[in-house]
Amino acid sequence: MTAPATREQTLTRLKTENFDLVVIGGGITGAGIALDTAARGLSVALLEKHDFASGTSSKSTKLIHGGLRYLKQFEVALVREVGRERATVHRLAPHLVRPEKMLLPLVEDGSFGKIGTSLGLWVYDFLADVHGDDKRVMLSREETLEKEPLLRPDVLKGGGYYAEYRTDDARLTMENLKTARKHGAVIVNYVEAVDFDKNEDGKITAVHCRDLDKGEKISINCTSVISAAGPWVDELRKEDGSMTQTRLFLSKGVHIVVARERLPLRQAVYFDVPTDNRMIFAIPRLRSTYIGTTDTPYKGDSDNIPTTLDDVTYLLDAANAMFPTANLRVEDVESNWAGLRPLIYEEGKEGAEMSRKDEIFESESGLLSIAGGKLTGYRKMAERIVDRLADRLEDSGTDLPEARTEEIELTGGPFKNFAAVLTYEKEVAERLAAADLPPERADYLVANYGRQTDEIVAAAADRPGNGYEKLAAAEAAFCIENELALYPMDFLNRRSGRLYFDLPSIPRVLNAVVDVFAETYGYDADERAQQIRICEAEVAERTEFGMAEV
Ligand code: FAD
């Protein structure tokens, strides 16, 4: 079936079937809930108002980490849970959640001393149950410089070296959604939940939505609703009439990207910002290095979050202070992203001090909402809220089985372990070279798509253009067919990560990519030109920074 026919069929199902559960929000939290509930046997529909992962879940630091910083705030339970989850999520998708050693340089007047760091990292490893070679090591000044020669030598005293994982947040969301779909969930993007139908007891019986692609109104009948709308959770609680004193506090986080050759780090570094006692990351990734994040209160439009020149300058100054020979300037910034942390408001605390714990809100109407938390903890967050739903269903005589996502490998696998991923990556590079396609894309393809790379490489031969265009076109076609990419930007941003990590490649493959969308969705010349303009405007926006927010 073609992609437009699949979407039509999905919309018909939403209009005609009665679902046990509607999940609002296609970020990592909603995706985790859809998989958890579908695997427990519920009929589930998931709605996303924009593209999947277009909210916070494509704008994180992209680490599957325990959050070392939270130890300082004595968030022991949180660090323990997400610390342990790292290994689980890695096991479920080793191609996508990859080991990444982190270097924490100890500097004069820094926030961590040698003994404090050694103890802190030991506790971190202990809580997360880290074993063997992954256990933290304390390094001398010389050993630290050997790991990362770009560090500022005159203030360096040594370093801590410990294990984390990195991922692509949007792809992790997508693979959870695809796995949920394999278990029967119905998922759709560009459909916004607008309000609710309630019966005479005030209980929700349907979700009224708008198909933002065609503008059509849809009503979805359901027994239960979970809102996983991230920064928009309070908007839906207001619509439901169930706002309480506990509310969200939105904190903006910006990352900037420079070409790898401008900051050629050997490895990821977690370092001090000298001006305000915060810590940020600099992480090499493919042909780029990204730096972040900021953490500032935000009250503007959640659908349009600006990166200001102040944000960029703050990150550049911090990076230049730690890696002075790089001498980074605003002109070096190739791309950026700004996301919102939906934190749970705590009286008298600033954003950075507020807890990263998740919170569940229950309403008289039956609406369950969940916000806060971490990308890393998505599976446990899903389990918690679905257990809450299970308690309610039990009251009405339905027994839900226990969560079983701990054993469900995500699409893109299976891989026995990370060594198997690397072996497969080698095979892919050989196959690419034999087919006259660029072998250096193997690393990217396998990290993004896992074993689904086979399908993309096989299809690339039949596409027109040079090797890069052939591969990009085959990749776009795969994402249209399997990942509900509706517009070219869905592919260039959230499916492939090019907008952030390989922006200069976009002009080279844009026509090839838009042609695939034009073929599938029947664009006329005007629509094709319009889609090209939208992509070009997005690319330009990545290096246009507004003035400071007032
Ligand atoms: P979102 O991803 O925002 O998803 C909510 C979705 O709901 C959105 O896509 C939105 O479009 C949709 N929606 C809203 N209203 C409606 C509606 N009415 N109808 C339909 N759909 C709707 N965590 C980590 O573990 N590691 C990190 O490295 C890390 N770094 C971070 C860095 C930054 C700067 C930020 C901001 C967060 C970071 N986090 C990190 C936290 C993590 O990114 C978030 O906890 C997580 O992405 C939140 O996911 P979510 O699904 O709850 O929200």
Side-chain angles (χ1 to χ4, degrees), residues 24-30 47-49 54-57 59-63 65 191-193 228-232 236 253 255 293 339-341 372-376:
I24 303 173
I28 189 66
T29 310
L47 321 173
E48 164 54 51
K49 70 171 175 170
S54 58
T56 308
S57 298
K59 293 162 184 157
S60 76
T61 309
K62 303 172 197 295
L63 289 174
H65 66 156
V191 170
E192 178 177 27
W232 297 267
L236 284 162
H255 292 81
T293 167
L340 295 178
R341 300 173 185 84
K374 303 276 299 165
L375 178 76
T376 310

Side-chain angles (χ1 to χ4, degrees), residues 23-31 47-66 70 82 165 167 169 173 191-194 227-233 235-236 251-255 281 283 290 292-294 303 337-342 356 370-378 381:
V23 180
I24 303 173
I28 189 66
T29 310
L47 321 173
E48 164 54 51
K49 70 171 175 170
H50 190 263
D51 187 24
F52 302 118
S54 58
T56 308
S57 298
S58 56
K59 293 162 184 157
S60 76
T61 309
K62 303 172 197 295
L63 289 174
I64 293 297
H65 66 156
Y70 313 130
V82 287
Y165 296 85
T167 190
D169 43 9
T173 304
V191 170
E192 178 177 27
V194 179
S227 163
W232 297 267
V233 151
E235 281 181 22
L236 284 162
S251 161
K252 184 175 85 163
V254 170
H255 292 81
F281 295 95
I283 304 175
Y290 64 105
T293 167
T294 62
D303 289 296
W337 64 92
L340 295 178
R341 300 173 185 84
R356 266 53 180 171
I370 184 160
K374 303 276 299 165
L375 178 76
T376 310
Y378 76 91
M381 281 171 72

Side-chain angles (χ1 to χ4, degrees), residues 39 60 113 240 243 300-301 349 354 357 438 481:
S60 76
D240 177 55
M243 269 307 282
D301 178 3
K349 286 197 179 171
M354 274 181 216
K357 277 196 294 252
E481 262 168 54

